Amino acid sequence: EIMVGDWSSDVCSSDLVVIPLALDFMQHNPRVEVDLSFEYRYTDLVANGIDVALRLGKLADSTLGARTLGVNPWVLVASPHYLKKHGTPRRPSDLKEHATLIYSSVQGNDVWRLRNASGEAVSVPVSGRLRSNNLSALLAAARAHMGIAALPWYVAHDSLAAGRVVEVLKTCRLPEQEIHA
């Protein structure tokens, strides 16, 4: 049994990545049976009979084995209309003057931590009218000109490609989340 957990509380976003990978894996491994479950909270893998789980972020110390699969990069995005009306931030400290869309599962303390162009760590207090544990809600709000959102690249990718949102502070980097199996 495979469980996708601690990903986010956003089924649609993880569906875009996990389901195609699972189906491809099954096509290449016809004798493997998969029970694909999506849980968005910490789950006791042993007690629930889970063979493999995908988790994002730092792992707690555990007696379970884990393998790092890669990283999940994040980007800051806003709609062109929002930026035209409110201005485009040029440095991290400018974010204090903007409406931000806060992902409560990761940025619960209303401080965004970035690395500026020279690699220095910068912490910026942010505020906004919308907080959500749902990444699709934050992307929709950014597309609706409501502010600047910090989103995983895989969530923002299609909207970036279509020009519905643009990347803000391209020279700065948000922390990447580790992806583990």
Side-chain angles (χ1 to χ4, degrees):
E1 185 170 337
I2 299 174
M3 185 200 72
V4 178
D6 300 344
W7 192 275
S8 75
S9 60
D10 182 46
V11 176
C12 295
S13 298
S14 58
D15 288 358
L16 295 173
V17 176
V18 175
I19 292 172
L21 290 174
L23 297 177
D24 184 61
F25 175 81
M26 291 176 71
Q27 288 175 339
H28 287 90
N29 298 277
R31 295 181 2 173
V32 174
E33 293 181 10
V34 174
D35 179 349
L36 185 62
S37 301
F38 290 82
E39 295 289 332
Y40 303 104
R41 58 184 160 63
Y42 183 81
T43 301
D44 183 328
L45 302 178
V46 175
N48 289 295
I50 306 296
D51 297 315
V52 178
L54 299 179
R55 290 191 167 154
L56 291 182
K58 293 239 181 258
L59 294 179
D61 289 338
S62 172
T63 58
L64 301 174
R67 172 165 287 167
T68 301
L69 301 177
V71 293
N72 179 31
W74 286 62
V75 293
L76 293 172
V77 300
S79 73
H81 177 78
Y82 173 87
L83 296 174
K84 183 176 181 182
K85 185 174 180 180
H86 300 282
T88 300
R90 302 285 176 220
R91 54 192 168 278
S93 61
D94 293 346
L95 291 169
K96 294 180 212 174
E97 306 304 319
H98 285 270
T100 54
L101 307 165
I102 299 169
Y103 183 45
S104 57
S105 294
V106 173
Q107 300 136 351
N109 62 2
D110 299 339
V111 175
W112 286 356
R113 290 165 181 80
L114 306 115
R115 294 225 173 255
N116 65 19
S118 27
E120 298 171 70
V122 178
S123 295
V124 181
V126 294
S127 61
R129 294 178 34 223
L130 178 63
R131 298 170 57 85
S132 180
N133 67 348
N134 183 287
L135 295 167
S136 292
L138 297 176
L139 175 60
R143 288 172 48 157
H145 327 300
M146 294 182 66
I148 299 172
L151 297 171
W153 183 84
Y154 76 90
V155 172
H157 176 263
D158 288 345
S159 291
L160 284 164
R164 301 280 311 265
V165 296
V166 295
E167 190 171 351
V168 176
L169 294 172
K170 289 182 183 183
T171 61
C172 294
R173 292 287 160 236
L174 293 161
E176 296 176 329
Q177 287 178 306
E178 298 171 356
I179 304 172
H180 303 277

PDB file of all heavy atoms in Angstrom, residues 28-52:
ATOM      1  N   HIS A  28       4.600   0.083 -15.865  1.00  0.00           N
ATOM      2  CA  HIS A  28       5.921  -0.528 -15.997  1.00  0.00           C
ATOM      3  C   HIS A  28       6.135  -1.700 -15.036  1.00  0.00           C
ATOM      4  O   HIS A  28       7.133  -2.411 -15.145  1.00  0.00           O
ATOM      5  CB  HIS A  28       7.025   0.520 -15.786  1.00  0.00           C
ATOM      6  CG  HIS A  28       7.143   1.452 -16.940  1.00  0.00           C
ATOM      7  ND1 HIS A  28       6.420   2.626 -17.021  1.00  0.00           N
ATOM      8  CD2 HIS A  28       7.869   1.379 -18.076  1.00  0.00           C
ATOM      9  CE1 HIS A  28       6.708   3.241 -18.148  1.00  0.00           C
ATOM     10  NE2 HIS A  28       7.580   2.504 -18.817  1.00  0.00           N
ATOM     11  N   ASN A  29       5.232  -1.882 -14.096  1.00  0.00           N
ATOM     12  CA  ASN A  29       5.328  -2.958 -13.108  1.00  0.00           C
ATOM     13  C   ASN A  29       3.964  -3.639 -12.979  1.00  0.00           C
ATOM     14  O   ASN A  29       3.272  -3.488 -11.973  1.00  0.00           O
ATOM     15  CB  ASN A  29       5.776  -2.385 -11.755  1.00  0.00           C
ATOM     16  CG  ASN A  29       7.143  -1.753 -11.846  1.00  0.00           C
ATOM     17  OD1 ASN A  29       8.157  -2.429 -11.763  1.00  0.00           O
ATOM     18  ND2 ASN A  29       7.169  -0.436 -12.046  1.00  0.00           N
ATOM     19  N   PRO A  30       3.564  -4.422 -13.991  1.00  0.00           N
ATOM     20  CA  PRO A  30       2.195  -4.957 -14.044  1.00  0.00           C
ATOM     21  C   PRO A  30       1.843  -5.932 -12.918  1.00  0.00           C
ATOM     22  O   PRO A  30       0.656  -6.161 -12.677  1.00  0.00           O
ATOM     23  CB  PRO A  30       2.126  -5.635 -15.415  1.00  0.00           C
ATOM     24  CG  PRO A  30       3.531  -5.830 -15.851  1.00  0.00           C
ATOM     25  CD  PRO A  30       4.347  -4.778 -15.158  1.00  0.00           C
ATOM     26  N   ARG A  31       2.829  -6.470 -12.222  1.00  0.00           N
ATOM     27  CA  ARG A  31       2.515  -7.409 -11.134  1.00  0.00           C
ATOM     28  C   ARG A  31       2.346  -6.716  -9.782  1.00  0.00           C
ATOM     29  O   ARG A  31       1.972  -7.338  -8.808  1.00  0.00           O
ATOM     30  CB  ARG A  31       3.594  -8.485 -11.045  1.00  0.00           C
ATOM     31  CG  ARG A  31       3.617  -9.355 -12.295  1.00  0.00           C
ATOM     32  CD  ARG A  31       4.628 -10.445 -12.286  1.00  0.00           C
ATOM     33  NE  ARG A  31       5.408 -10.544 -11.071  1.00  0.00           N
ATOM     34  CZ  ARG A  31       6.255 -11.500 -10.810  1.00  0.00           C
ATOM     35  NH1 ARG A  31       6.433 -12.451 -11.685  1.00  0.00           N
ATOM     36  NH2 ARG A  31       6.942 -11.514  -9.704  1.00  0.00           N
ATOM     37  N   VAL A  32       2.603  -5.424  -9.722  1.00  0.00           N
ATOM     38  CA  VAL A  32       2.475  -4.675  -8.473  1.00  0.00           C
ATOM     39  C   VAL A  32       1.055  -4.146  -8.343  1.00  0.00           C
ATOM     40  O   VAL A  32       0.503  -3.565  -9.271  1.00  0.00           O
ATOM     41  CB  VAL A  32       3.476  -3.494  -8.420  1.00  0.00           C
ATOM     42  CG1 VAL A  32       3.256  -2.633  -7.192  1.00  0.00           C
ATOM     43  CG2 VAL A  32       4.899  -4.021  -8.467  1.00  0.00           C
ATOM     44  N   GLU A  33       0.440  -4.383  -7.167  1.00  0.00           N
ATOM     45  CA  GLU A  33      -0.876  -3.834  -6.872  1.00  0.00           C
ATOM     46  C   GLU A  33      -0.699  -2.594  -6.008  1.00  0.00           C
ATOM     47  O   GLU A  33       0.116  -2.576  -5.088  1.00  0.00           O
ATOM     48  CB  GLU A  33      -1.730  -4.856  -6.123  1.00  0.00           C
ATOM     49  CG  GLU A  33      -2.086  -6.057  -6.974  1.00  0.00           C
ATOM     50  CD  GLU A  33      -2.946  -7.055  -6.227  1.00  0.00           C
ATOM     51  OE1 GLU A  33      -3.432  -6.739  -5.117  1.00  0.00           O
ATOM     52  OE2 GLU A  33      -3.116  -8.157  -6.760  1.00  0.00           O
ATOM     53  N   VAL A  34      -1.465  -1.558  -6.291  1.00  0.00           N
ATOM     54  CA  VAL A  34      -1.330  -0.288  -5.582  1.00  0.00           C
ATOM     55  C   VAL A  34      -2.666   0.100  -4.960  1.00  0.00           C
ATOM     56  O   VAL A  34      -3.707   0.040  -5.611  1.00  0.00           O
ATOM     57  CB  VAL A  34      -0.855   0.835  -6.549  1.00  0.00           C
ATOM     58  CG1 VAL A  34      -0.860   2.194  -5.865  1.00  0.00           C
ATOM     59  CG2 VAL A  34       0.527   0.503  -7.102  1.00  0.00           C
ATOM     60  N   ASP A  35      -2.621   0.454  -3.697  1.00  0.00           N
ATOM     61  CA  ASP A  35      -3.757   1.073  -3.005  1.00  0.00           C
ATOM     62  C   ASP A  35      -3.287   2.480  -2.680  1.00  0.00           C
ATOM     63  O   ASP A  35      -2.534   2.691  -1.744  1.00  0.00           O
ATOM     64  CB  ASP A  35      -4.081   0.290  -1.727  1.00  0.00           C
ATOM     65  CG  ASP A  35      -5.236   0.897  -0.940  1.00  0.00           C
ATOM     66  OD1 ASP A  35      -5.666   2.036  -1.267  1.00  0.00           O
ATOM     67  OD2 ASP A  35      -5.695   0.253   0.009  1.00  0.00           O
ATOM     68  N   LEU A  36      -3.681   3.433  -3.498  1.00  0.00           N
ATOM     69  CA  LEU A  36      -3.171   4.800  -3.423  1.00  0.00           C
ATOM     70  C   LEU A  36      -4.097   5.635  -2.547  1.00  0.00           C
ATOM     71  O   LEU A  36      -5.227   5.917  -2.912  1.00  0.00           O
ATOM     72  CB  LEU A  36      -3.078   5.390  -4.832  1.00  0.00           C
ATOM     73  CG  LEU A  36      -2.457   6.753  -5.013  1.00  0.00           C
ATOM     74  CD1 LEU A  36      -0.998   6.746  -4.555  1.00  0.00           C
ATOM     75  CD2 LEU A  36      -2.534   7.166  -6.479  1.00  0.00           C
ATOM     76  N   SER A  37      -3.612   6.029  -1.372  1.00  0.00           N
ATOM     77  CA  SER A  37      -4.400   6.822  -0.419  1.00  0.00           C
ATOM     78  C   SER A  37      -3.772   8.191  -0.250  1.00  0.00           C
ATOM     79  O   SER A  37      -2.545   8.309  -0.202  1.00  0.00           O
ATOM     80  CB  SER A  37      -4.439   6.133   0.951  1.00  0.00           C
ATOM     81  OG  SER A  37      -4.992   4.849   0.848  1.00  0.00           O
ATOM     82  N   PHE A  38      -4.597   9.215  -0.143  1.00  0.00           N
ATOM     83  CA  PHE A  38      -4.112  10.567   0.088  1.00  0.00           C
ATOM     84  C   PHE A  38      -4.530  10.997   1.483  1.00  0.00           C
ATOM     85  O   PHE A  38      -5.717  11.071   1.782  1.00  0.00           O
ATOM     86  CB  PHE A  38      -4.680  11.537  -0.952  1.00  0.00           C
ATOM     87  CG  PHE A  38      -4.133  11.325  -2.330  1.00  0.00           C
ATOM     88  CD1 PHE A  38      -4.640  10.344  -3.161  1.00  0.00           C
ATOM     89  CD2 PHE A  38      -3.081  12.104  -2.793  1.00  0.00           C
ATOM     90  CE1 PHE A  38      -4.123  10.134  -4.423  1.00  0.00           C
ATOM     91  CE2 PHE A  38      -2.555  11.904  -4.064  1.00  0.00           C
ATOM     92  CZ  PHE A  38      -3.083  10.919  -4.877  1.00  0.00           C
ATOM     93  N   GLU A  39      -3.568  11.269   2.334  1.00  0.00           N
ATOM     94  CA  GLU A  39      -3.807  11.772   3.686  1.00  0.00           C
ATOM     95  C   GLU A  39      -3.003  13.045   3.842  1.00  0.00           C
ATOM     96  O   GLU A  39      -1.857  13.107   3.427  1.00  0.00           O
ATOM     97  CB  GLU A  39      -3.342  10.765   4.745  1.00  0.00           C
ATOM     98  CG  GLU A  39      -4.108   9.467   4.738  1.00  0.00           C
ATOM     99  CD  GLU A  39      -5.524   9.615   5.245  1.00  0.00           C
ATOM    100  OE1 GLU A  39      -5.772  10.521   6.074  1.00  0.00           O
ATOM    101  OE2 GLU A  39      -6.386   8.849   4.805  1.00  0.00           O
ATOM    102  N   TYR A  40      -3.589  14.033   4.454  1.00  0.00           N
ATOM    103  CA  TYR A  40      -2.911  15.319   4.570  1.00  0.00           C
ATOM    104  C   TYR A  40      -2.661  15.692   6.016  1.00  0.00           C
ATOM    105  O   TYR A  40      -2.705  16.842   6.395  1.00  0.00           O
ATOM    106  CB  TYR A  40      -3.703  16.383   3.808  1.00  0.00           C
ATOM    107  CG  TYR A  40      -3.847  15.949   2.377  1.00  0.00           C
ATOM    108  CD1 TYR A  40      -5.028  15.438   1.883  1.00  0.00           C
ATOM    109  CD2 TYR A  40      -2.734  15.967   1.541  1.00  0.00           C
ATOM    110  CE1 TYR A  40      -5.115  14.994   0.579  1.00  0.00           C
ATOM    111  CE2 TYR A  40      -2.817  15.521   0.239  1.00  0.00           C
ATOM    112  CZ  TYR A  40      -4.007  15.043  -0.235  1.00  0.00           C
ATOM    113  OH  TYR A  40      -4.078  14.590  -1.523  1.00  0.00           O
ATOM    114  N   ARG A  41      -2.399  14.686   6.798  1.00  0.00           N
ATOM    115  CA  ARG A  41      -2.009  14.863   8.192  1.00  0.00           C
ATOM    116  C   ARG A  41      -1.018  13.749   8.510  1.00  0.00           C
ATOM    117  O   ARG A  41      -0.914  12.772   7.769  1.00  0.00           O
ATOM    118  CB  ARG A  41      -3.223  14.809   9.104  1.00  0.00           C
ATOM    119  CG  ARG A  41      -3.985  13.519   8.980  1.00  0.00           C
ATOM    120  CD  ARG A  41      -5.252  13.494   9.806  1.00  0.00           C
ATOM    121  NE  ARG A  41      -6.192  12.500   9.346  1.00  0.00           N
ATOM    122  CZ  ARG A  41      -6.000  11.190   9.321  1.00  0.00           C
ATOM    123  NH1 ARG A  41      -4.869  10.679   9.734  1.00  0.00           N
ATOM    124  NH2 ARG A  41      -6.913  10.364   8.885  1.00  0.00           N
ATOM    125  N   TYR A  42      -0.317  13.898   9.618  1.00  0.00           N
ATOM    126  CA  TYR A  42       0.651  12.876   9.987  1.00  0.00           C
ATOM    127  C   TYR A  42      -0.089  11.573  10.268  1.00  0.00           C
ATOM    128  O   TYR A  42      -1.099  11.561  10.975  1.00  0.00           O
ATOM    129  CB  TYR A  42       1.455  13.314  11.214  1.00  0.00           C
ATOM    130  CG  TYR A  42       2.513  12.302  11.550  1.00  0.00           C
ATOM    131  CD1 TYR A  42       3.714  12.284  10.856  1.00  0.00           C
ATOM    132  CD2 TYR A  42       2.296  11.334  12.516  1.00  0.00           C
ATOM    133  CE1 TYR A  42       4.682  11.340  11.127  1.00  0.00           C
ATOM    134  CE2 TYR A  42       3.253  10.384  12.796  1.00  0.00           C
ATOM    135  CZ  TYR A  42       4.449  10.390  12.101  1.00  0.00           C
ATOM    136  OH  TYR A  42       5.385   9.441  12.370  1.00  0.00           O
ATOM    137  N   THR A  43       0.415  10.485   9.703  1.00  0.00           N
ATOM    138  CA  THR A  43      -0.199   9.173   9.871  1.00  0.00           C
ATOM    139  C   THR A  43       0.848   8.187  10.359  1.00  0.00           C
ATOM    140  O   THR A  43       1.982   8.180   9.883  1.00  0.00           O
ATOM    141  CB  THR A  43      -0.763   8.680   8.518  1.00  0.00           C
ATOM    142  OG1 THR A  43      -1.729   9.630   8.063  1.00  0.00           O
ATOM    143  CG2 THR A  43      -1.420   7.332   8.632  1.00  0.00           C
ATOM    144  N   ASP A  44       0.468   7.329  11.307  1.00  0.00           N
ATOM    145  CA  ASP A  44       1.353   6.281  11.795  1.00  0.00           C
ATOM    146  C   ASP A  44       1.406   5.186  10.723  1.00  0.00           C
ATOM    147  O   ASP A  44       0.447   4.438  10.528  1.00  0.00           O
ATOM    148  CB  ASP A  44       0.821   5.722  13.114  1.00  0.00           C
ATOM    149  CG  ASP A  44       1.734   4.683  13.728  1.00  0.00           C
ATOM    150  OD1 ASP A  44       2.417   3.933  12.988  1.00  0.00           O
ATOM    151  OD2 ASP A  44       1.770   4.594  14.971  1.00  0.00           O
ATOM    152  N   LEU A  45       2.534   5.119  10.025  1.00  0.00           N
ATOM    153  CA  LEU A  45       2.651   4.212   8.888  1.00  0.00           C
ATOM    154  C   LEU A  45       2.556   2.752   9.291  1.00  0.00           C
ATOM    155  O   LEU A  45       1.891   1.953   8.628  1.00  0.00           O
ATOM    156  CB  LEU A  45       3.970   4.476   8.157  1.00  0.00           C
ATOM    157  CG  LEU A  45       4.177   5.906   7.642  1.00  0.00           C
ATOM    158  CD1 LEU A  45       5.533   6.043   6.977  1.00  0.00           C
ATOM    159  CD2 LEU A  45       3.061   6.307   6.708  1.00  0.00           C
ATOM    160  N   VAL A  46       3.226   2.375  10.375  1.00  0.00           N
ATOM    161  CA  VAL A  46       3.224   0.971  10.813  1.00  0.00           C
ATOM    162  C   VAL A  46       1.834   0.556  11.259  1.00  0.00           C
ATOM    163  O   VAL A  46       1.313  -0.480  10.830  1.00  0.00           O
ATOM    164  CB  VAL A  46       4.262   0.759  11.935  1.00  0.00           C
ATOM    165  CG1 VAL A  46       4.180  -0.659  12.485  1.00  0.00           C
ATOM    166  CG2 VAL A  46       5.673   1.055  11.425  1.00  0.00           C
ATOM    167  N   ALA A  47       1.191   1.369  12.081  1.00  0.00           N
ATOM    168  CA  ALA A  47      -0.136   1.029  12.593  1.00  0.00           C
ATOM    169  C   ALA A  47      -1.172   0.921  11.479  1.00  0.00           C
ATOM    170  O   ALA A  47      -2.130   0.162  11.589  1.00  0.00           O
ATOM    171  CB  ALA A  47      -0.588   2.065  13.620  1.00  0.00           C
ATOM    172  N   ASN A  48      -0.977   1.658  10.405  1.00  0.00           N
ATOM    173  CA  ASN A  48      -1.936   1.650   9.293  1.00  0.00           C
ATOM    174  C   ASN A  48      -1.517   0.744   8.142  1.00  0.00           C
ATOM    175  O   ASN A  48      -2.160   0.744   7.093  1.00  0.00           O
ATOM    176  CB  ASN A  48      -2.161   3.079   8.788  1.00  0.00           C
ATOM    177  CG  ASN A  48      -2.950   3.893   9.786  1.00  0.00           C
ATOM    178  OD1 ASN A  48      -4.111   3.591  10.048  1.00  0.00           O
ATOM    179  ND2 ASN A  48      -2.322   4.890  10.371  1.00  0.00           N
ATOM    180  N   GLY A  49      -0.429  -0.011   8.305  1.00  0.00           N
ATOM    181  CA  GLY A  49      -0.005  -0.963   7.282  1.00  0.00           C
ATOM    182  C   GLY A  49       0.457  -0.315   5.991  1.00  0.00           C
ATOM    183  O   GLY A  49       0.278  -0.876   4.916  1.00  0.00           O
ATOM    184  N   ILE A  50       1.065   0.843   6.081  1.00  0.00           N
ATOM    185  CA  ILE A  50       1.530   1.562   4.907  1.00  0.00           C
ATOM    186  C   ILE A  50       2.946   1.100   4.563  1.00  0.00           C
ATOM    187  O   ILE A  50       3.830   1.099   5.408  1.00  0.00           O
ATOM    188  CB  ILE A  50       1.532   3.094   5.155  1.00  0.00           C
ATOM    189  CG1 ILE A  50       0.167   3.575   5.626  1.00  0.00           C
ATOM    190  CG2 ILE A  50       2.010   3.845   3.921  1.00  0.00           C
ATOM    191  CD1 ILE A  50      -0.943   3.402   4.646  1.00  0.00           C
ATOM    192  N   ASP A  51       3.149   0.700   3.309  1.00  0.00           N
ATOM    193  CA  ASP A  51       4.465   0.262   2.864  1.00  0.00           C
ATOM    194  C   ASP A  51       5.362   1.430   2.480  1.00  0.00           C
ATOM    195  O   ASP A  51       6.548   1.432   2.779  1.00  0.00           O
ATOM    196  CB  ASP A  51       4.336  -0.682   1.655  1.00  0.00           C
ATOM    197  CG  ASP A  51       3.596  -1.958   2.013  1.00  0.00           C
ATOM    198  OD1 ASP A  51       3.897  -2.540   3.064  1.00  0.00           O
ATOM    199  OD2 ASP A  51       2.715  -2.350   1.234  1.00  0.00           O
ATOM    200  N   VAL A  52       4.797   2.405   1.763  1.00  0.00           N
ATOM    201  CA  VAL A  52       5.574   3.556   1.292  1.00  0.00           C
ATOM    202  C   VAL A  52       4.720   4.806   1.465  1.00  0.00           C
ATOM    203  O   VAL A  52       3.544   4.805   1.114  1.00  0.00           O
ATOM    204  CB  VAL A  52       5.959   3.420  -0.198  1.00  0.00           C
ATOM    205  CG1 VAL A  52       6.716   4.649  -0.679  1.00  0.00           C
ATOM    206  CG2 VAL A  52       6.771   2.160  -0.447  1.00  0.00           C
TER     207      VAL A  52
END
